[in-house]
């Protein structure tokens, strides 16, 4: 499973592509940051983010996109920019037909460090270890994007396997019921034929 993690932001939007399966160490495919200048009009900044995200999806062909779920902060301007960038990421993924998963910061921290209260330093350290990187991904937005992708590979992969198993079981049950109805119909037809001969 290949996942594009997006740590949304207007000034810096972290991107990280990770490949792996649940229960095995994932591998980094790519990492980067989309930067937009603060003096640029917000609409134009969002267009830049959209274009670069689309390029990343075209280039790295992820199976899913994981975006950090926006949560309330004290700075409303920061939240607005983050929410706008997050919306752009979801639209770009949906336009390409990719599933989008939203993870809260504490979910991501818990997935990669074991603690939902870990700080950015701890997240970066664990991302570096998990992906066996020779150097720490910087800035923190890039490390956070990789952490999002790791979280989705591990947690989303398990959820996906459970969903596939449930779908498979439902399909087998439906087949068994259809087979049972067919056998019953044949038996009734045979009984009716026997009674008609008498």
């Amino acid at each position: 499973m290949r996942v594009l993690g997006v740590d949304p932001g207007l000034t810096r939007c972290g991107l990280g592509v990770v490949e792996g399966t649940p229960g095995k160490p994932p591998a980094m495919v790519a990492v980067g940051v989309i930067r937009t200048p603060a003096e640029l009009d917000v609409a134009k900044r969002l267009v830049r983010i959209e274009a670069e995200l689309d390029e990343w999806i075209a280039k790295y062909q992820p199976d899913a996109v994981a975006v950090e779920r926006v949560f309330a902060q004290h700075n409303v301007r920061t939240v607005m920019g983050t929410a706008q960038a997050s919306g752009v990421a979801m639209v770009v993924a949906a336009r390409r037909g990719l599933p989008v998963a939203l993870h809260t910061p504490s979910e991501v921290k818990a997935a990669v460090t074991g603690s939902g209260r870990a700080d950015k330093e701890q997240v970066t350290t664990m991302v570096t270890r998990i992906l066996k990187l020779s150097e720490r991904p910087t800035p923190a937005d890039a490390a956070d994007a990789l952490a999002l992708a790791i979280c989705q590979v591990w947690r989303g992969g398990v959820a996906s396997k459970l969903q596939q198993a449930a779908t498979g079981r439902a399909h087998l049950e439906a087949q068994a019921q259809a087979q049972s109805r067919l056998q019953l119909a044949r038996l009734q037809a045979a009984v009716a034929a026997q009674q008609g001969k008498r």
Side-chain angles (χ1 to χ4, degrees):
M1 177 184 219
R2 182 175 281 197
V3 177
L4 167 62
V6 181
D7 182 41
L10 266 181
T11 304
R12 287 188 314 274
C13 182
L15 302 175
V17 181
V18 167
E19 198 164 55
T21 54
K24 293 183 180 175
M28 184 183 82
V29 176
V31 68
V33 176
I34 301 170
R35 298 176 192 272
T36 65
E39 64 274 7
L40 203 63
D41 179 62
V42 172
K44 288 179 180 167
R45 294 173 81 181
L46 292 171
V47 167
R48 280 195 186 182
I49 291 169
E50 178 198 28
E52 284 203 48
L53 270 169
D54 201 51
E55 281 177 26
W56 270 65
I57 290 173
K59 184 174 181 179
Y60 297 109
Q61 300 288 308
D63 301 304
V65 176
V67 182
E68 184 173 278
R69 187 184 296 276
V70 179
F71 67 103
Q73 291 174 320
H74 302 298
N75 188 337
V76 176
R77 280 190 65 192
T78 303
V79 172
M80 285 300 294
T82 303
Q84 289 163 335
S86 176
V88 167
M90 288 189 273
V91 167
V92 171
R95 195 184 295 135
R96 291 251 181 191
L98 295 172
V100 177
L102 298 173
H103 297 287
T104 65
S106 58
E107 282 175 339
V108 176
K109 290 172 184 177
V112 298
T113 71
S115 168
R117 294 188 179 143
D119 60 23
K120 285 194 176 289
E121 183 70 21
Q122 289 170 303
V123 170
T124 302
T125 298
M126 285 309 295
V127 164
T128 306
R129 279 188 197 158
I130 290 166
L131 297 174
K132 296 181 172 78
L133 303 176
S134 56
E135 53 189 59
R136 296 160 64 84
T138 56
D141 312 85
D144 288 349
L146 288 170
L148 273 154
I150 292 167
C151 178
Q152 180 59 23
V153 165
W154 285 350
R155 294 190 172 186
V158 170
S160 173
K161 284 193 187 311
L162 288 172
Q163 181 60 43
Q164 286 172 355
T167 303
R169 182 178 174 176
H171 180 68
L172 286 174
E173 285 175 358
Q175 277 185 323
Q177 285 175 354
Q179 192 70 30
S180 190
R181 283 193 296 272
L182 181 63
Q183 292 287 9
L184 183 60
R186 284 180 181 161
L187 187 60
Q188 287 171 339
V191 169
Q194 280 292 76
Q195 287 176 344
K197 286 180 182 176
R198 288 179 185 169

